[in-house]
């Protein structure tokens, strides 16, 4: 060896182990074992078991195997590989060259299609003698590739703009296989997506049926990507429910679910779950959901997790839990659009996932994300629908929405105002801008949108700061309602007039419109929760007509309708209510000196009621007239100077978010009770100002306001 040549490193053998020697024929011992496993008999070169062309295959395998000692697993793998190749090539030689079919795609390898015959490995079989060199066949076989090569027919399918162009490919001399037929069907569904009237005629076309038969006969050779798109395309083409070809595609997808990539599973869930439910493909849908749940860790992008939450999440609670966990993991990578989709998806499913809502809120506050008008509106809707309180997010939404108000439509203004009303968040500048927006479009604003804005104002008890702006706004409301109030839905009519009562803007004509027997009669025997809520609002409107409009002479609710229903007292007592009752019971001493949970004919329930004489001593309630009850009780008038006290308990939810102002419903309750002749005690901590002998008496508990008016 010359000095310039590289010297191979010496291999050090373990002690006590003899070195392996090459056989007399030049083969390694492990190679000899492999050849024997092939059934070749004598393994020496030039002898009868491995003659002629089969040696070319053997040498081709040896070229890619290690030259040194080979571990037993690799030797067994080599034996199986050579045996399989020998069987396939032997079968290929049985087909005449003129009648040999085209090369088709099978799995991830492209092999010559052979007839289904019983394969044998006998060395003495006549089929073991090949007409041409196997090594030559291997050298010419270049079709083993990860993807099929692009052919002319593929380009024709992609460029087709009419269904007829695709159907003509069957008679154009092109050699179509299963993948081509699948691509043609996919392209047909795209071209007919906006032409549903042409789908029925396509089903009757013989060429379309030929495509279905071709796909059905070679369904196992269709690649994964075209297969899942083919299933979606067949769903959109809406074949008959008994279509065997569609059932075959569904079955093939079921068999391949474990081999499909996660993006294919997500595509199926996003595009085909609704069709599976419609067609009753419950087995496929169930297995798809299970696969998505088990392989959830493979999700890598935010779009996939958001799409699955929207489409597949409502169908599987375990999958939705997994998706929420993955969403928490990827939340830091989300942009504004992904955050919006997550919240809208949760809102659509009414799923109040507090950890996920907190994570999204954190990123909205901490990151300087550019929020467009559409994103802001969707975020406000989602937070309002889920009732999730996050002050910093609300401040940003209100501040970012304010510059966009002039460009909003009337529907967007109504939607935004309703969202903030659900959040109990009153932003003065933003709602002033809403008022001005409505005034600027007074002639074009639809009445339903105006009603929604009015309901939002009533819920938050919002009044414009400038008196002239308030007068203009309510003048517009009355003008619109005079023409179209009776044409609205009965429940909406009640809601609108109730909102006007809350804002102290109701007129007698509007009260008369909803208190007439023709309208309120359909709510007297209400059973559904929604209709019962409408009936309670009718009680409030009737109380406004009785207590706040002395000159009202129109129709009213019948006396039988004013009797409180049992459902009004079925609510579970809150901790604050229990503390109030226990404290008053200890102070009163006698049960006839006070009443608790008193239902009135005005639709409100008093937490407690007591009667005081001019000296501040308790009087028995049962001895005196009680006109606020239904039906009224007692006939003895109150002594001169006596006072009725009504205790109204306001919980934290009775106030606006971060506000000391009551919401509209509770402000209306206070006004009605005061107008009925009561002194209202609704902010209390020390009672000594009420009762002279109760200097040491306190009502503890969270949420209690500390002022006595």
């Amino acid at each position: 060896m010359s000095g310039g040549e590289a010297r191979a490193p010496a291999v050090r053998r373990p002690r006590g182990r003899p070195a392996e020697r090459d056989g007399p024929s030049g083969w390694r011992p492990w190679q000899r074992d492999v050849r024997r496993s092939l059934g070749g008999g004598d393994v020496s070169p030039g002898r009868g078991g491995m003659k002629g062309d089969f040696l070319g295959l053997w040498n081709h395998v040896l070229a890619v195997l290690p030259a040194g000692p080979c571990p037993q697993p690799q030797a067994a793998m080599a034996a199986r590989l050579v045996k399989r190749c020998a069987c396939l090539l032997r079968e290929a030689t049985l087909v005449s060259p003129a009648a040999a079919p085209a090369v088709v795609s099978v799995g991830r390898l492209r092999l010559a299609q052979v007839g289904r015959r019983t394969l044998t490995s006998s060395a003495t079989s006549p089929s073991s003698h090949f007409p041409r060199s196997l090594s030559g066949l291997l050298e010419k076989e270049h079709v083993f590739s990860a993807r099929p090569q692009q052919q002319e027919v593929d380009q024709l399918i992609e460029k087709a703009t009419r269904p007829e162009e695709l159907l003509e490919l069957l008679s154009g001399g092109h050699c179509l296989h299963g993948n081509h037929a699948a691509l043609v069907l996919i392209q047909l569904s795209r071209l007919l997506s906006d032409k549903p009237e042409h789908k029925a005629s396509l089903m009757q076309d013989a060429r379309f049926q030929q495509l279905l038969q071709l796909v059905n006969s070679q369904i196992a050779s269709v690649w994964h990507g075209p297969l899942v798109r083919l299933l979606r395309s067949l769903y959109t083409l809406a074949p008959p429910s008994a279509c065997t070809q569609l059932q075959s595609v569904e079955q093939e997808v079921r068999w391949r679910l474990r081999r499909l990539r996660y993006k294919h599973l997500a595509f199926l869930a996003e595009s085909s779950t609704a069709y599976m439910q419609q067609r009753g493909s419950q087995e496929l849908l169930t297995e798809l959901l299970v696969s998505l749940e088990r392989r959830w860790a493979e999700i890598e992008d935010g779009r996939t997790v958001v799409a699955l939450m929207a489409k597949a999440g409502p169908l599987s609670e375990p999958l939705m839990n997994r998706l929420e966990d993955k969403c928490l993991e990827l939340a830091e990578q989300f942009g504004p659009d992904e955050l919006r989709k997550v919240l809208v998806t949760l809102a659509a499913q009414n799923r109040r996932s507090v950890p996920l809502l907190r994570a999204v809120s954190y990123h909205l506050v901490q990151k300087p994300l550019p929020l467009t008008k559409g994103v802001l509106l969707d975020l406000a809707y989602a937070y309002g629908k889920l009732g999730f309180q996050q002050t910093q997010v609300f401040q940003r939404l209100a501040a970012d929405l304010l510059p966009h108000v002039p460009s909003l439509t009337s529907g967007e203004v109504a939607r935004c105002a309703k969202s903030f009303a659900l959040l109990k968040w009153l932003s003065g500048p933003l709602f002033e801008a809403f008022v001005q927006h409505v005034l600027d479009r007074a002639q074009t604003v639809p009445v339903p949108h105006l009603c929604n804005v009015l309901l939002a104002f009533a819920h938050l008890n919002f009044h414009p700061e400038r008196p002239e702006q308030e007068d203009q706004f309510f003048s517009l409301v009355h003008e619109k309602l005079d023409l179209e109030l009776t044409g609205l839905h009965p429940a909406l009519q009640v809601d609108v007039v109730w909102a006007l009562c809350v804002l102290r803007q109701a007129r007698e004509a509007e009260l008369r419109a909803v208190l007439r027997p023709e309208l309120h009669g359909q709510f007297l025997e209400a059973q559904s929760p929604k209709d019962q809520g409408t009936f309670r609002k009718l009680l409030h409107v009737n109380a406004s007509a009785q207590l706040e409009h002395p000159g009202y002479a129109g129709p009213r609710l019948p006396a039988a309708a004013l009797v409180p229903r049992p459902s009004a007292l079925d609510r579970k007592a809150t901790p604050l209510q229990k503390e109030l009752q226990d404290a008053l019971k200890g102070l009163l001493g006698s049960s006839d000196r006070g009443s608790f949970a008193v239902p009135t004919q005005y639709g409100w329930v008093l937490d407690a009621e007591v009667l005081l004489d001019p000296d501040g001593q308790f009087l028995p309630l049962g001895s005196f007239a009680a006109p606020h009850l239904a039906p009224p009780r007692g006939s003895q008038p109150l002594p001169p100077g006596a006072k009725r006290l009504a205790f109204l308990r306001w919980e934290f939810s009775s106030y606006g978010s971060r506000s000391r102002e009551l919401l509209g419903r509770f402000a209306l309750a206070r006004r009605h009770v005061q107008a009925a002749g009561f002194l209202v005690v609704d902010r209390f901590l020390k009672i000594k100002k009420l009762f002279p002998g109760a200097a040491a008496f306190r009502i503890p508990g969270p949420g209690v306001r500390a002022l006595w008016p």
Side-chain angles (χ1 to χ4, degrees):
M1 180 179 297
S2 61
E5 295 180 358
R7 184 180 301 273
V11 179
R12 186 175 183 179
R13 297 190 305 271
R15 292 183 179 181
R17 180 178 179 181
E20 292 185 351
R21 295 183 179 180
D22 297 345
S25 57
W27 302 104
R28 300 282 184 182
W30 67 268
Q31 297 171 351
R32 186 183 302 274
D33 295 338
V34 172
R35 296 189 63 193
R36 284 175 179 170
S37 68
L38 297 175
D42 190 352
V43 297
S44 300
R47 295 192 180 183
M50 284 285 185
K51 290 183 179 180
D53 294 328
F54 204 68
L55 280 177
L57 175 61
W58 174 244
N59 294 329
H60 193 85
V61 174
L62 289 181
V64 298
L65 292 177
C70 184
Q72 185 62 26
Q74 296 189 12
M77 185 185 303
R80 291 195 298 269
L81 173 63
V82 175
K83 185 181 294 185
R84 180 60 178 161
C85 291
C87 293
L88 290 175
L89 292 173
R90 182 166 58 247
E91 287 292 318
T93 60
L94 299 179
V95 185
S96 61
V103 175
V104 299
S105 170
V106 181
R108 298 190 63 182
L109 299 176
R110 300 182 66 218
L111 296 174
Q113 185 178 5
V114 298
R116 299 187 178 214
R117 300 183 44 150
T118 303
L119 301 182
T120 62
S121 59
S122 175
T124 61
S125 174
S127 62
S128 63
H129 302 285
F130 299 101
R132 58 183 182 274
S133 173
L134 292 179
S135 61
L137 286 176
L138 289 173
E139 291 175 359
K140 294 180 181 180
E141 183 58 56
H142 297 296
V143 294
F144 288 82
S145 60
R147 293 190 177 276
Q149 298 177 356
Q150 187 80 3
Q151 301 179 9
E152 179 184 359
V153 65
D154 296 316
Q155 298 178 0
L156 294 176
I157 294 174
E158 292 178 0
K159 296 179 180 179
T161 58
R162 295 183 298 108
E164 191 64 27
E165 297 179 11
L166 296 170
L167 297 176
E168 289 176 354
L169 295 176
L170 292 171
S171 58
H174 301 284
C175 184
L176 300 181
H177 53 68
N179 266 310
H180 289 151
L183 294 176
V184 170
L185 291 171
I186 293 170
Q187 189 70 3
L188 278 173
S189 69
R190 291 176 181 172
L191 296 177
L192 297 178
S193 60
D194 55 347
K195 300 177 181 178
E197 66 277 2
H198 295 167
K199 293 181 181 179
S201 60
L202 179 65
M203 295 297 166
Q204 306 301 325
D205 197 310
R207 295 169 295 180
F208 179 77
Q209 297 297 327
Q210 185 178 354
L211 283 173
L212 292 178
Q213 293 296 336
L214 179 58
V215 168
N216 188 36
S217 63
Q218 301 182 19
I219 189 63
S221 66
V222 179
W223 286 65
H224 295 337
L227 180 65
V228 296
R229 288 186 285 133
L230 173 63
L231 180 60
R232 192 275 309 269
S233 301
L234 291 179
Y235 282 146
T236 58
L237 289 174
S241 57
C243 180
T244 58
Q245 292 83 1
L246 176 56
Q247 297 174 2
S248 176
V249 175
E250 289 181 338
Q251 188 67 26
E252 183 68 21
V253 170
R254 285 185 61 193
W255 288 343
R256 295 197 201 180
L257 279 178
R258 293 188 178 182
R259 291 182 290 158
L260 292 177
R261 298 176 62 182
Y262 202 88
K263 70 174 185 179
H264 294 145
L265 300 179
F267 176 82
L268 281 175
E270 185 178 357
S271 62
S272 303
T273 51
Y275 295 106
M276 294 177 190
Q277 290 178 296
Q278 293 175 4
R279 299 185 64 90
S281 304
Q282 293 299 325
E283 295 181 354
L284 175 58
L285 179 59
T286 301
E287 294 184 16
L288 174 62
L289 295 175
V290 171
S291 298
L292 289 169
E293 177 193 348
R294 290 176 177 174
R295 298 170 55 184
W296 68 278
E298 300 179 28
I299 302 176
E300 298 179 353
D301 60 303
R303 185 203 171 280
T304 300
V305 67
V306 172
L308 289 177
M309 289 177 68
K311 298 294 183 179
L315 305 178
S316 173
E317 181 70 18
L319 174 61
M320 191 63 179
N321 294 332
R322 297 294 190 184
L323 294 175
E324 289 180 358
D325 294 340
K326 195 65 178 181
C327 197
L328 283 172
E329 178 184 336
L330 300 176
E332 189 174 357
Q333 307 173 13
F334 287 175
D337 194 54
E338 285 79 8
L339 296 176
R340 174 186 65 86
K341 290 180 180 179
V342 169
L343 289 182
V344 171
T345 300
L346 293 177
Q349 302 176 25
N350 202 21
R351 189 178 182 90
R352 199 172 187 270
S353 177
V354 175
L356 189 52
L357 289 170
R358 287 175 177 172
V360 173
S361 302
Y362 172 81
H363 291 293
L364 286 174
V365 173
Q366 298 298 328
K367 293 182 179 180
L369 299 173
L371 303 180
T372 62
K373 177 181 67 175
V375 172
L376 292 169
L377 292 174
D378 287 342
L379 291 177
Y381 159 77
Y383 276 105
K385 180 71 178 296
L386 298 173
F388 185 76
Q389 297 290 325
Q390 224 297 331
T391 303
Q392 292 177 317
V393 173
F394 301 163
Q395 290 174 343
R396 181 178 181 184
L397 292 180
D400 290 355
L401 271 171
L402 188 57
H404 294 288
V405 172
S407 63
L408 298 179
T409 64
S410 300
E412 291 172 340
V413 168
R415 176 188 174 193
C416 187
K418 184 177 180 180
S419 299
F420 278 97
L422 292 175
L423 292 171
K424 304 176 185 178
W425 180 265
L426 178 58
S427 173
L430 182 62
F431 275 71
E432 294 284 349
F434 289 163
V435 173
Q436 190 60 45
H437 181 281
V438 172
L439 293 177
D440 293 340
R441 294 162 177 77
Q443 302 302 323
T444 59
V445 58
V447 172
H449 296 165
L450 183 61
C451 293
N452 285 329
V453 173
L454 184 65
L455 287 171
F457 288 177
H459 185 76
L460 295 173
N461 198 22
F462 167 73
H463 296 266
E465 291 186 0
R466 294 182 297 171
E468 63 277 7
Q469 189 183 43
E470 181 177 10
D471 294 341
Q472 293 177 5
F473 175 77
F474 286 107
S475 296
L476 174 64
V477 170
H478 294 307
E479 179 183 350
K480 294 282 187 178
L481 293 180
D482 288 343
L483 300 175
E484 302 187 36
L485 177 61
T486 56
L488 299 177
H489 188 274
L492 182 56
Q493 293 185 44
V494 176
D495 289 342
V496 170
V497 177
W498 176 85
L500 291 174
C501 292
V502 171
L503 299 172
R504 299 184 180 182
Q505 297 292 334
R507 295 181 177 178
E508 291 190 10
E510 295 155 351
L511 297 173
R512 192 180 296 109
V514 297
L515 292 177
R516 67 183 191 276
E518 295 82 4
L519 187 140
H520 72 245
Q522 54 189 307
F523 297 106
L524 293 181
E525 302 297 333
Q527 299 296 330
S528 66
K530 184 176 180 180
D531 288 344
Q532 290 180 2
T534 302
F535 177 73
R536 283 193 294 270
K537 290 183 178 180
L538 273 174
L539 291 175
H540 302 163
V541 172
N542 187 78
S544 292
Q546 178 181 351
L547 300 174
E548 298 183 334
H549 294 78
Y552 176 75
R556 296 182 181 179
L557 295 180
L562 303 180
V563 178
R565 301 184 179 184
S567 59
L569 302 175
D570 290 343
R571 299 176 183 177
K572 184 178 180 180
T574 65
L576 178 59
Q577 187 176 8
K578 292 180 180 179
E579 292 179 3
L580 175 62
Q581 292 179 358
D582 294 342
L584 286 177
K585 287 178 181 178
L587 177 65
L588 296 176
S590 177
S591 59
D592 63 344
R593 294 183 176 182
S595 298
F596 300 96
V598 182
T600 66
Q601 62 173 312
Y602 312 122
W604 309 109
V605 178
L606 308 181
D607 291 292
E609 176 190 1
V610 297
L611 186 62
L612 297 178
D613 62 10
D615 298 329
Q617 300 298 321
F618 295 110
L619 296 176
L621 292 174
S623 303
F624 301 96
H628 56 283
L629 301 179
R633 300 175 186 174
S635 58
Q636 183 179 353
L638 293 180
K643 301 177 182 178
R644 287 187 180 273
L645 268 66
F647 290 82
L648 297 180
R649 174 198 85 265
W650 305 133
E651 304 282 351
F652 180 78
S653 59
S654 304
Y655 294 87
S657 181
R658 301 292 179 177
S659 172
R660 292 177 177 268
E661 300 298 327
L662 286 172
L663 297 177
R665 177 174 180 269
F666 305 102
L668 180 64
R670 177 198 282 170
R671 293 203 331 254
H672 283 176
V673 174
Q674 288 176 340
F678 285 86
L679 290 177
V680 176
V681 184
D682 59 349
R683 297 184 181 185
F684 38 77
L685 185 60
K686 295 183 179 180
I687 306 294
K688 63 180 181 179
K689 294 184 178 180
L690 298 179
F691 311 110
F697 177 78
R698 294 171 62 86
I699 298 180
V704 183
R705 299 292 172 164
L707 295 177
W708 153 246

